[in-house]
PDB file of all heavy atoms in Angstrom:
ATOM      1  N   ASP A  87     103.402 101.083 136.932  1.00  0.00           N
ATOM      2  CA  ASP A  87     104.860 100.950 136.877  1.00  0.00           C
ATOM      3  C   ASP A  87     105.221  99.814 135.940  1.00  0.00           C
ATOM      4  O   ASP A  87     104.591  98.754 135.954  1.00  0.00           O
ATOM      5  CB  ASP A  87     105.416 100.673 138.275  1.00  0.00           C
ATOM      6  CG  ASP A  87     105.183 101.833 139.231  1.00  0.00           C
ATOM      7  OD1 ASP A  87     105.493 102.967 138.838  1.00  0.00           O
ATOM      8  OD2 ASP A  87     104.686 101.602 140.342  1.00  0.00           O
ATOM      9  N   VAL A 151      99.490 107.531 142.599  1.00  0.00           N
ATOM     10  CA  VAL A 151     100.419 107.132 143.660  1.00  0.00           C
ATOM     11  C   VAL A 151     100.192 107.910 144.953  1.00  0.00           C
ATOM     12  O   VAL A 151     100.261 107.333 146.052  1.00  0.00           O
ATOM     13  CB  VAL A 151     101.885 107.277 143.173  1.00  0.00           C
ATOM     14  CG1 VAL A 151     102.235 108.727 142.873  1.00  0.00           C
ATOM     15  CG2 VAL A 151     102.851 106.702 144.190  1.00  0.00           C
ATOM     16  N   PHE A 200     108.915  93.164 136.480  1.00  0.00           N
ATOM     17  CA  PHE A 200     109.632  93.447 137.721  1.00  0.00           C
ATOM     18  C   PHE A 200     110.714  92.407 137.964  1.00  0.00           C
ATOM     19  O   PHE A 200     111.832  92.741 138.398  1.00  0.00           O
ATOM     20  CB  PHE A 200     108.652  93.479 138.893  1.00  0.00           C
ATOM     21  CG  PHE A 200     107.945  94.797 139.063  1.00  0.00           C
ATOM     22  CD1 PHE A 200     108.076  95.804 138.117  1.00  0.00           C
ATOM     23  CD2 PHE A 200     107.160  95.043 140.164  1.00  0.00           C
ATOM     24  CE1 PHE A 200     107.433  97.018 138.259  1.00  0.00           C
ATOM     25  CE2 PHE A 200     106.511  96.253 140.330  1.00  0.00           C
ATOM     26  CZ  PHE A 200     106.647  97.244 139.382  1.00  0.00           C
ATOM     27  N   ARG A 203     113.628  93.180 135.831  1.00  0.00           N
ATOM     28  CA  ARG A 203     114.424  94.294 136.353  1.00  0.00           C
ATOM     29  C   ARG A 203     115.305  93.843 137.509  1.00  0.00           C
ATOM     30  O   ARG A 203     116.456  94.297 137.640  1.00  0.00           O
ATOM     31  CB  ARG A 203     113.500  95.429 136.801  1.00  0.00           C
ATOM     32  CG  ARG A 203     112.831  96.156 135.637  1.00  0.00           C
ATOM     33  CD  ARG A 203     111.955  97.292 136.111  1.00  0.00           C
ATOM     34  NE  ARG A 203     111.347  97.992 134.970  1.00  0.00           N
ATOM     35  CZ  ARG A 203     110.570  99.067 135.075  1.00  0.00           C
ATOM     36  NH1 ARG A 203     110.297  99.551 136.276  1.00  0.00           N
ATOM     37  NH2 ARG A 203     110.071  99.646 134.005  1.00  0.00           N
ATOM     38  N   LYS A 209     118.965  97.544 134.771  1.00  0.00           N
ATOM     39  CA  LYS A 209     117.624  98.066 135.018  1.00  0.00           C
ATOM     40  C   LYS A 209     117.249  98.098 136.494  1.00  0.00           C
ATOM     41  O   LYS A 209     116.153  98.545 136.826  1.00  0.00           O
ATOM     42  CB  LYS A 209     116.593  97.223 134.257  1.00  0.00           C
ATOM     43  CG  LYS A 209     116.595  97.455 132.754  1.00  0.00           C
ATOM     44  CD  LYS A 209     115.398  96.795 132.116  1.00  0.00           C
ATOM     45  CE  LYS A 209     115.296  97.184 130.649  1.00  0.00           C
ATOM     46  NZ  LYS A 209     114.101  96.608 130.015  1.00  0.00           N
ATOM     47  N   GLN A 210     118.138  97.649 137.357  1.00  0.00           N
ATOM     48  CA  GLN A 210     117.766  97.600 138.764  1.00  0.00           C
ATOM     49  C   GLN A 210     117.470  98.986 139.322  1.00  0.00           C
ATOM     50  O   GLN A 210     116.685  99.127 140.265  1.00  0.00           O
ATOM     51  CB  GLN A 210     118.875  96.910 139.576  1.00  0.00           C
ATOM     52  CG  GLN A 210     118.911  95.400 139.354  1.00  0.00           C
ATOM     53  CD  GLN A 210     120.056  94.723 140.085  1.00  0.00           C
ATOM     54  OE1 GLN A 210     120.831  95.387 140.763  1.00  0.00           O
ATOM     55  NE2 GLN A 210     120.171  93.417 139.927  1.00  0.00           N
ATOM     56  N   TRP A 211     118.081 100.011 138.745  1.00  0.00           N
ATOM     57  CA  TRP A 211     117.833 101.381 139.216  1.00  0.00           C
ATOM     58  C   TRP A 211     116.379 101.790 139.004  1.00  0.00           C
ATOM     59  O   TRP A 211     115.883 102.713 139.673  1.00  0.00           O
ATOM     60  CB  TRP A 211     118.768 102.366 138.505  1.00  0.00           C
ATOM     61  CG  TRP A 211     118.517 102.465 137.017  1.00  0.00           C
ATOM     62  CD1 TRP A 211     119.101 101.728 136.044  1.00  0.00           C
ATOM     63  CD2 TRP A 211     117.620 103.361 136.349  1.00  0.00           C
ATOM     64  NE1 TRP A 211     118.624 102.086 134.803  1.00  0.00           N
ATOM     65  CE2 TRP A 211     117.705 103.094 134.958  1.00  0.00           C
ATOM     66  CE3 TRP A 211     116.740 104.351 136.774  1.00  0.00           C
ATOM     67  CZ2 TRP A 211     116.952 103.773 134.015  1.00  0.00           C
ATOM     68  CZ3 TRP A 211     115.981 105.042 135.826  1.00  0.00           C
ATOM     69  CH2 TRP A 211     116.105 104.750 134.466  1.00  0.00           C
ATOM     70  N   LYS A 212     115.684 101.090 138.085  1.00  0.00           N
ATOM     71  CA  LYS A 212     114.291 101.435 137.809  1.00  0.00           C
ATOM     72  C   LYS A 212     113.344 100.968 138.911  1.00  0.00           C
ATOM     73  O   LYS A 212     112.185 101.379 138.942  1.00  0.00           O
ATOM     74  CB  LYS A 212     113.853 100.823 136.478  1.00  0.00           C
ATOM     75  CG  LYS A 212     114.498 101.440 135.245  1.00  0.00           C
ATOM     76  CD  LYS A 212     113.885 100.872 133.981  1.00  0.00           C
ATOM     77  CE  LYS A 212     114.439 101.551 132.734  1.00  0.00           C
ATOM     78  NZ  LYS A 212     113.788 101.049 131.506  1.00  0.00           N
ATOM     79  N   LEU A 213     113.817 100.068 139.780  1.00  0.00           N
ATOM     80  CA  LEU A 213     112.973  99.544 140.842  1.00  0.00           C
ATOM     81  C   LEU A 213     113.099 100.417 142.083  1.00  0.00           C
ATOM     82  O   LEU A 213     114.148 100.473 142.709  1.00  0.00           O
ATOM     83  CB  LEU A 213     113.370  98.102 141.180  1.00  0.00           C
ATOM     84  CG  LEU A 213     112.790  97.009 140.296  1.00  0.00           C
ATOM     85  CD1 LEU A 213     113.385  95.665 140.687  1.00  0.00           C
ATOM     86  CD2 LEU A 213     111.281  96.961 140.385  1.00  0.00           C
ATOM     87  N   SER A 214     112.021 101.092 142.433  1.00  0.00           N
ATOM     88  CA  SER A 214     112.008 101.928 143.626  1.00  0.00           C
ATOM     89  C   SER A 214     111.074 101.294 144.661  1.00  0.00           C
ATOM     90  O   SER A 214     110.290 100.400 144.340  1.00  0.00           O
ATOM     91  CB  SER A 214     111.494 103.328 143.269  1.00  0.00           C
ATOM     92  OG  SER A 214     110.111 103.269 142.943  1.00  0.00           O
ATOM     93  N   PRO A 215     111.138 101.755 145.897  1.00  0.00           N
ATOM     94  CA  PRO A 215     110.179 101.253 146.896  1.00  0.00           C
ATOM     95  C   PRO A 215     108.728 101.453 146.464  1.00  0.00           C
ATOM     96  O   PRO A 215     107.869 100.625 146.761  1.00  0.00           O
ATOM     97  CB  PRO A 215     110.517 102.090 148.142  1.00  0.00           C
ATOM     98  CG  PRO A 215     111.958 102.435 147.969  1.00  0.00           C
ATOM     99  CD  PRO A 215     112.147 102.640 146.491  1.00  0.00           C
ATOM    100  N   MET A 216     108.447 102.548 145.728  1.00  0.00           N
ATOM    101  CA  MET A 216     107.091 102.780 145.244  1.00  0.00           C
ATOM    102  C   MET A 216     106.684 101.718 144.220  1.00  0.00           C
ATOM    103  O   MET A 216     105.536 101.275 144.192  1.00  0.00           O
ATOM    104  CB  MET A 216     106.986 104.176 144.603  1.00  0.00           C
ATOM    105  CG  MET A 216     107.183 105.322 145.563  1.00  0.00           C
ATOM    106  SD  MET A 216     105.947 105.409 146.856  1.00  0.00           S
ATOM    107  CE  MET A 216     106.915 104.765 148.234  1.00  0.00           C
ATOM    108  N   ASP A 217     107.644 101.317 143.384  1.00  0.00           N
ATOM    109  CA  ASP A 217     107.353 100.275 142.398  1.00  0.00           C
ATOM    110  C   ASP A 217     106.977  98.974 143.092  1.00  0.00           C
ATOM    111  O   ASP A 217     106.012  98.297 142.709  1.00  0.00           O
ATOM    112  CB  ASP A 217     108.566 100.035 141.489  1.00  0.00           C
ATOM    113  CG  ASP A 217     108.908 101.238 140.636  1.00  0.00           C
ATOM    114  OD1 ASP A 217     107.996 102.024 140.345  1.00  0.00           O
ATOM    115  OD2 ASP A 217     110.087 101.392 140.285  1.00  0.00           O
ATOM    116  N   LEU A 218     107.740  98.612 144.102  1.00  0.00           N
ATOM    117  CA  LEU A 218     107.477  97.359 144.803  1.00  0.00           C
ATOM    118  C   LEU A 218     106.132  97.407 145.519  1.00  0.00           C
ATOM    119  O   LEU A 218     105.402  96.412 145.564  1.00  0.00           O
ATOM    120  CB  LEU A 218     108.609  97.075 145.793  1.00  0.00           C
ATOM    121  CG  LEU A 218     110.002  96.916 145.159  1.00  0.00           C
ATOM    122  CD1 LEU A 218     111.060  96.713 146.230  1.00  0.00           C
ATOM    123  CD2 LEU A 218     110.018  95.753 144.175  1.00  0.00           C
ATOM    124  N   GLN A 219     105.784  98.566 146.039  1.00  0.00           N
ATOM    125  CA  GLN A 219     104.483  98.691 146.695  1.00  0.00           C
ATOM    126  C   GLN A 219     103.329  98.572 145.696  1.00  0.00           C
ATOM    127  O   GLN A 219     102.227  98.176 146.064  1.00  0.00           O
ATOM    128  CB  GLN A 219     104.399 100.031 147.436  1.00  0.00           C
ATOM    129  CG  GLN A 219     105.080 100.042 148.781  1.00  0.00           C
ATOM    130  CD  GLN A 219     104.436  99.077 149.758  1.00  0.00           C
ATOM    131  OE1 GLN A 219     103.224  99.033 149.910  1.00  0.00           O
ATOM    132  NE2 GLN A 219     105.272  98.279 150.415  1.00  0.00           N
ATOM    133  N   SER A 220     103.600  98.905 144.441  1.00  0.00           N
ATOM    134  CA  SER A 220     102.534  98.806 143.438  1.00  0.00           C
ATOM    135  C   SER A 220     102.107  97.364 143.228  1.00  0.00           C
ATOM    136  O   SER A 220     100.985  97.095 142.783  1.00  0.00           O
ATOM    137  CB  SER A 220     102.984  99.425 142.111  1.00  0.00           C
ATOM    138  OG  SER A 220     103.995  98.643 141.491  1.00  0.00           O
TER     139      SER A 220
END
Side-chain angles (χ1 to χ4, degrees):
D87 296 311
V151 64
F200 277 8
R203 289 181 179 183
K209 287 191 172 183
Q210 286 176 0
W211 65 269
K212 291 186 176 183
L213 277 175
S214 69
M216 295 297 104
D217 295 333
L218 299 177
Q219 279 297 313
S220 69

